Amino acid sequence: MECVLEGEHICKEYRLYQRTADRLVEAVTGGKIVRGKRHTALRDISFSVEKGEAFGIIGSNGAGKSTLLKICAGVLEPDAGELHKCGKVSALLELGAGFHPDYTGAENVLLTGRVMGVPRSVMEERLPGILEFAGIGAYADQPVRTYSSGMFARLAFAAATNVDADILIVDEALSVGDIYFQNRCFRRFAELREGGVTLLLVSHDLETVRNMTSRTLWIENGTAKMCGESREVCNAYAAEIHRKENEDYLKRSKREAECGEETHEAADERAEEFKAVPPGVPGIAPKAGDILSGSVRILHCYFENAHGEAVSELTGGTFCRLVIVFETEEELQRCIVGFVLQNRKGVSIINSNTLTVQGGKTFPVRAGSLCRVEFAMNFPVLYQDIYVLDCAVAEGESVMENELKTWIYGATTVMVRPQGTCLAIMDIPQKVTVKTSDIGLKESIAAGGRSGVHAQV
Amino acid sequence: METGETLGGRSGLNHKYAERVSLLWDLAVNDLRRAEKDTVLGWGWTFVRPAVSLIVYYVVFSLFFAMPDESPGVPYSIWFLSGMLPWLFHAECLGTGVYCFSEYGYLVRKICFPVYLIPLIRLISTFIIHILCIALLGALCIFENHFMQIRLIRLVYVCVCELFYTGTGLFVCALLAAFMRDMESLTAISLQAGIWAVPVLWNMRKVPRKFAELPAFNPMYHVVQNFRYAFGCEETPGSGLSLAVFQSVCAVLLLLCILLYRKLRAHLPDVL
């Protein structure tokens, strides 16, 4: 395959100065008089993108994604390393093409085309289509400074994808559009790629990157962490985010743990000895707002897949187990363990406990023991998002009458992916039957104007 | 890195430069039109503003302050205006153009654009108005029965000089202004004072003999003198000294343009 974009050991440093004039002095004297502070944005990044390929770039904020895109777009120059590109690059950096706020939408489109080397007459022919795509209607002849951010981004996108570029660079441009616009954008991407256009996409939305691109580069702190097949890289990135979140929990727990008898690490070790938890599952760190008691402590709360592996992502409709591990120093004669699964907006999706599942039965736990409770289920097909899980241990007779021993808010989070699409909160398995009956429509069409007679008869 | 791959990179070099020139022209026309945005008269303002000031100068200096002994054989207003026009072009260009990089920051930050064209946009758009003013001055000459001679062809040379000197000066000032705002005030002040360093409002003939060569060290003098010469308002196109000074200053400015641009180009997206 033909390589259209290739970066070799690209490095980029930003220089920070007290005054911009210092930058001038340094640039002119070659750094002999003033030297600004250095901030390394990219360190030895190498990658190559083939013709017609969709290539993703992911990474947390400040990782250097935008800098790399700017270098690819030719706006910035790398301090070291080389970038080879062949073909015309059209870039949508930070939601705006080179639009001037005082010019009207139409003028800006024409100007963008001109700057990108498309003759004015060609651009004028395309203008109606571009405005139509952007859906800005009567605003076409208004200065773009009067546009809403969505209109601006839509027009910028429409303009940038209509200038016969060989390489299209898109930096988070789609996040402002609504779902219809995003959908149209994706179709446009597909069209362009069929025409041999190479796509470079930066997004925080892993799902977009996973679906849109074939290969992905993951940058962290200016260095390439991973580069390969999008699915693998995105999964590794998601796992890393999850790991970091848990690390934060642990750090906080270390600070906040003041119960003298034993540390969480010790409890973790014991739990692993007990073989209740696969290694690597993080412990629960109590946060402000959690209900705690000195005697009962939830140690772990996590989802397991069918193979017994701890997971942070679940696919709706598949088998999984929710595992809650706790220890108690007092005897719980009528123990109840429960959980609540909430969506991002705090709406409870599942509220369940051992009492209701087992038909009003409780179970006893001896003092000083470790207990593992598993809720096995077919996970529901939910809207694709991150869900938060609270878990609790109580002692009592019923859901109404019990003594809450501990309640941990946000004990774990789980990313849910639906099987297929789920556009509402949830989806259920359904069976569809379609029946049709012949009402003689065919004949009436064939008979032309006589259909009226048929109806009367 | 080659910044211009966006512009017809796959075709020949000639095509690339033809493309740039046409792009530059489009941008310059747009630059003019932007000033007239949201006005009723629209395009008219482009011409009306300089024309009115020209006519005011003309009326004032032909009716109220006419000083015939300042310019023997030539209507004073014509003599005055033929000195004032090149200066106005120079002052307008530098005065408004010094901000051009921040004005056109969107072309630097967001897209791959041959950044060196940006000062030229302002140069060309101001020059279009300048040409209109020259035409108007020509009309006034005919009105005043001041017949121009074959020397008028020299205007072509003068225009080249103007474009080169003002263009390179603008490029350096604008580039420096992107890094230090002081340049903006500095340019404004030097333009204010600068008009008195050129024999526009005063006459060379009034200069004491021992200072007679002094104005020749101002490159603008060469431009003004040649402009007047082309319009038949001066007898000589200036001394050889003034030509030498003009040429060397231009050479130094061009060198500065190239050096500064090379050093500072990479920093521009960071400061705008």
Side-chain angles (χ1 to χ4, degrees), chain A residues 92-384:
Chain A
L92 270 173
L93 300 174
E94 293 150 30
L95 309 182
F99 278 4
H100 193 287
D102 285 343
Y103 291 152
T104 68
E107 281 171 340
N108 266 310
V109 170
L110 294 177
L111 204 64
T112 305
R114 286 297 293 115
V115 172
M116 295 303 295
V118 181
R120 198 182 173 85
S121 54
V122 177
M123 260 342 254
E124 271 166 0
E125 265 172 40
R126 289 181 194 173
L127 187 62
I130 293 173
L131 296 176
E132 160 87 36
F133 185 91
I136 53 169
Y139 271 85
D141 293 322
Q142 298 296 314
V144 294
R145 68 182 134 78
T146 62
Y147 285 21
S148 68
S149 58
M151 286 158 76
F152 191 90
R154 292 200 307 266
L155 189 65
F157 180 89
T161 52
N162 274 290
V163 290
D164 304 330
D166 302 300
I167 303 169
L168 179 65
I169 293 179
V170 182
D171 186 358
E172 287 293 345
L174 306 175
S175 49
V176 272
D178 59 17
I179 187 139
Y180 304 106
F181 181 70
Q182 290 187 4
N183 181 271
R184 263 192 299 169
C185 290
F186 289 135
R187 266 184 288 156
R188 180 85 185 119
F189 282 145
E191 268 172 42
L192 289 171
R193 282 184 58 202
E194 272 170 31
V197 174
T198 308
L199 177 69
L200 229 68
L201 183 76
V202 160
S203 182
H204 284 289
D205 181 11
L206 285 184
E207 198 51 29
T208 307
V209 175
R210 215 186 306 241
N211 290 337
M212 289 288 308
T213 64
S214 51
R215 285 191 312 132
T216 296
L217 172 68
W218 170 15
I219 311 180
E220 210 55 67
N221 292 326
T223 49
K225 191 134 187 188
M226 196 172 168
C227 183
E229 206 199 320
S230 290
R231 189 157 290 274
E232 271 171 36
V233 178
C234 287
N235 287 348
Y237 178 65
E240 172 77 8
I241 290 177
H242 194 74
R243 197 184 61 76
K244 267 193 193 154
E245 277 172 2
N246 282 326
E247 248 172 35
D248 287 350
Y249 270 164
L250 280 180
K251 264 184 211 157
R252 252 182 317 193
S253 84
K254 262 182 212 161
R255 274 202 302 275
E256 286 171 18
E258 74 285 68
C259 356
E261 311 100 81
E262 98 186 302
T263 60
H264 280 278
E265 284 97 325
D268 282 350
E269 273 169 30
R270 247 189 24 209
E272 279 173 29
E273 272 171 33
F274 180 72
K275 299 262 184 234
V277 184
V281 170
I284 298 278
K287 300 173 294 299
D290 289 343
I291 298 166
L292 304 168
S293 73
S295 53
V296 179
R297 251 183 317 149
I298 297 181
L299 301 177
H300 298 283
C301 173
Y302 63 95
F303 279 97
E304 260 182 17
N305 62 14
H307 311 295
E309 297 157 345
V311 289
S312 59
E313 268 191 32
L314 285 172
T315 306
T318 57
F319 178 80
C320 70
R321 269 188 221 101
L322 173 67
V323 181
I324 298 172
V325 179
F326 67 96
E327 61 174 3
T328 174
E329 281 158 24
E330 62 174 304
E331 186 180 355
L332 304 172
Q333 289 181 334
R334 295 152 299 160
C335 184
I336 310 171
V337 176
F339 71 94
V340 178
L341 185 79
Q342 293 184 336
N343 70 8
R344 198 186 281 271
K345 289 173 190 146
V347 177
S348 298
I349 311 288
I350 308 173
N351 186 337
S352 176
N353 57 60
T354 51
L355 185 84
T356 49
V357 173
Q358 295 179 306
K361 269 190 240 163
T362 59
F363 60 96
V365 184
R366 269 175 301 150
S369 62
L370 204 54
C371 178
R372 175 186 166 108
V373 179
E374 293 180 3
F375 293 87
M377 63 185 124
N378 271 329
F379 200 82
V381 182
L382 297 180
Y383 184 78
Q384 171 175 323

Side-chain angles (χ1 to χ4, degrees), chain B:
Chain B
M1 191 195 317
E2 175 56 55
T3 50
E5 273 158 328
T6 47
L7 296 167
R10 280 163 298 180
S11 329
L13 217 62
N14 281 339
H15 178 256
K16 191 166 104 182
Y17 285 105
E19 185 57 48
R20 293 236 172 128
V21 168
S22 107
L23 171 66
L24 184 59
W25 175 258
D26 276 11
L27 284 170
V29 171
N30 258 309
D31 191 58
L32 276 180
R33 283 176 55 188
R34 190 160 43 126
E36 276 74 46
K37 274 233 142 280
D38 300 327
T39 57
V40 179
L41 202 52
W43 266 95
W45 284 115
T46 311
F47 188 62
V48 166
R49 250 180 313 156
V52 166
S53 54
L54 221 68
I55 287 165
V56 167
Y57 279 129
Y58 171 73
V59 170
V60 168
F61 286 101
S62 59
L63 296 182
F64 308 114
F65 294 106
M67 293 175 268
D69 20 318
E70 292 274 325
S71 54
V74 185
Y76 181 71
S77 53
I78 299 294
W79 180 87
F80 173 78
L81 281 174
S82 59
M84 197 64 183
L85 273 191
W87 174 259
L88 280 180
F89 167 69
H90 183 72
E92 173 82 12
C93 235
L94 281 180
T96 64
V98 71
Y99 314 97
C100 67
F101 279 112
S102 55
E103 247 177 87
Y104 281 93
Y106 69 98
L107 289 178
V108 182
R109 285 189 310 263
K110 294 282 170 93
I111 44 180
C112 174
F113 183 80
V115 173
Y116 61 82
L117 290 183
I118 290 175
L120 303 185
I121 297 173
R122 187 51 51 83
L123 182 73
I124 304 288
S125 68
T126 317
F127 190 70
I128 295 172
I129 300 177
H130 184 51
I131 294 285
L132 291 175
C133 290
I134 291 176
L136 192 68
L137 180 61
L140 288 176
C141 286
I142 294 165
F143 183 71
E144 278 279 348
N145 283 328
H146 171 70
F147 289 108
M148 291 160 289
Q149 304 142 0
I150 192 75
R151 280 199 250 160
L152 201 61
I153 293 171
R154 206 176 175 82
L155 259 185
V156 177
Y157 166 72
V158 178
C159 284
V160 171
C161 287
E162 280 181 321
L163 282 174
F164 200 87
Y165 174 61
T166 307
T168 47
L170 170 66
F171 200 98
V172 171
C173 288
L175 207 51
L176 291 178
F179 292 87
M180 41 182 209
R181 300 285 306 275
D182 317 48
M183 248 349 251
E184 293 168 8
S185 311
L186 218 63
T187 312
I189 291 171
S190 49
L191 285 177
Q192 241 170 21
I195 188 165
W196 297 101
V198 196
V200 172
L201 300 172
W202 45 270
N203 200 318
M204 276 297 284
R205 280 180 282 275
K206 296 281 175 69
V207 179
R209 187 156 277 283
K210 57 177 176 176
F211 296 128
E213 287 297 342
L214 211 55
F217 286 97
N218 184 343
M220 209 42 212
Y221 166 71
H222 180 72
V223 176
V224 168
Q225 188 70 17
N226 270 278
F227 200 94
R228 281 194 170 138
Y229 174 75
F231 269 91
C233 298
E234 289 286 350
E235 287 313 310
T236 63
S239 59
L241 177 66
S242 75
L243 177 69
V245 168
F246 179 79
Q247 283 176 347
S248 31
V249 168
C250 280
V252 169
L253 278 175
L254 183 66
L255 209 67
L256 260 179
C257 280
I258 296 168
L259 280 178
L260 280 177
Y261 185 74
R262 280 191 167 173
K263 295 259 185 200
L264 300 178
R265 161 73 186 92
H267 291 272
L268 273 174
D270 291 339
V271 291
L272 294 177

